[in-house]
Amino acid sequence: MTTILVADDHPLFRQALTLAVLQVRPDANIVEAGSLDRAVQAVREADTLALILLDLNMPGAVGYSGVALLHAEAPDVPILVVSGADRAAAFAQVARFGAVGFVGKDAPLESIEAAIAAALAGKRMAADDAAEDDMAARVAALTPTQLRVLLGVLAGRLNKQIAHDLGIAEATVKVHMTAVLRKLDVGNRTQAAVAARALGLEVTG
């Protein structure tokens, strides 16, 4: 059975997306998530995940980190962003972080269904700005844990605090941080933070 993840923090919109999915794939098994952590858990638990429908602004997500993190967890599963964000500003970025398409929450139901069908068919929507972004590709290549360590750095957390947050040893955090610096081709934590902020991974609040 085909499993499709609907990740949005608004129950009514999750219900609307579920109805749209069932119009396209009536036999689909729908899994819902109201936060990024729950979405990550669902991705890890799903055996036959065919598509992720993802809102950008969910609890636990900062900037485009939700796309990057879920892409890191399941690089072969297409991610269709369904968001209220401005398409012109967001689409090129979400595409660089691994999403196959973007559709606005205000789009007609038929357009959302068409985007879902296209994503399930393996089609990638053309971005308005198709230029390759080397640093975004580097961030997209980070493992889930490496990405979480980088987000901890962006939040101003010390290694021991990041270790506590992730439930790992401080020495393990240092190992991951070394790998992050190498993959991003930067020399220190500050440079890694600057690069990530430039890509919309800034931590706010």
Side-chain angles (χ1 to χ4, degrees):
M1 180 180 292
T2 298
T3 298
I4 295 176
L5 171 61
V6 176
D8 192 289
D9 61 334
H10 292 92
L12 287 178
F13 198 76
R14 288 203 305 272
Q15 184 179 28
L17 286 178
T18 295
L19 292 174
V21 168
L22 293 176
Q23 286 293 321
V24 177
R25 189 65 63 87
D27 61 340
N29 173 41
I30 309 296
V31 177
E32 297 185 14
S35 69
L36 182 57
D37 285 344
R38 175 66 188 112
V40 170
Q41 180 183 354
V43 168
R44 291 174 177 173
E45 294 175 349
D47 293 327
T48 57
L49 191 60
L51 177 64
I52 298 170
L53 301 180
L54 176 67
D55 182 22
L56 291 178
N57 298 315
M58 294 178 64
V62 289
Y64 302 104
S65 63
V67 181
L69 188 58
L70 292 181
H71 178 68
E73 288 284 352
D76 296 327
V77 178
I79 299 173
L80 176 62
V81 173
V82 186
S83 173
D86 179 65
R87 183 186 187 281
F91 187 20
Q93 288 286 18
V94 300
R96 291 181 184 126
F97 285 116
V100 300
F102 181 103
V103 61
K105 284 189 171 183
D106 58 349
L109 183 60
E110 294 80 3
S111 297
I112 295 177
E113 292 173 0
I116 292 170
L120 286 170
K123 298 179 181 178
R124 178 178 290 271
M125 297 168 65
D128 296 329
D129 177 8
E132 288 294 323
D133 188 317
D134 181 61
M135 184 55 72
R138 291 175 183 271
V139 171
L142 297 177
T143 67
T145 303
Q146 290 166 359
L147 187 55
R148 289 185 182 278
V149 169
L150 177 58
L151 291 172
V153 171
L154 284 171
R157 307 286 282 172
L158 301 174
N159 281 351
K160 63 181 180 180
Q161 294 173 314
I162 296 173
H164 179 267
D165 294 341
L166 301 184
I168 59 179
E170 185 176 352
T172 304
V173 172
K174 293 179 180 178
V175 171
H176 285 305
M177 194 64 228
T178 299
V180 169
L181 297 179
R182 183 180 68 252
K183 287 187 175 181
L184 298 188
D185 194 24
V186 295
N188 54 50
R189 290 164 62 105
T190 300
Q191 291 175 352
V194 169
R197 284 195 182 96
L199 295 173
L201 293 183
E202 67 274 9
V203 176
T204 60

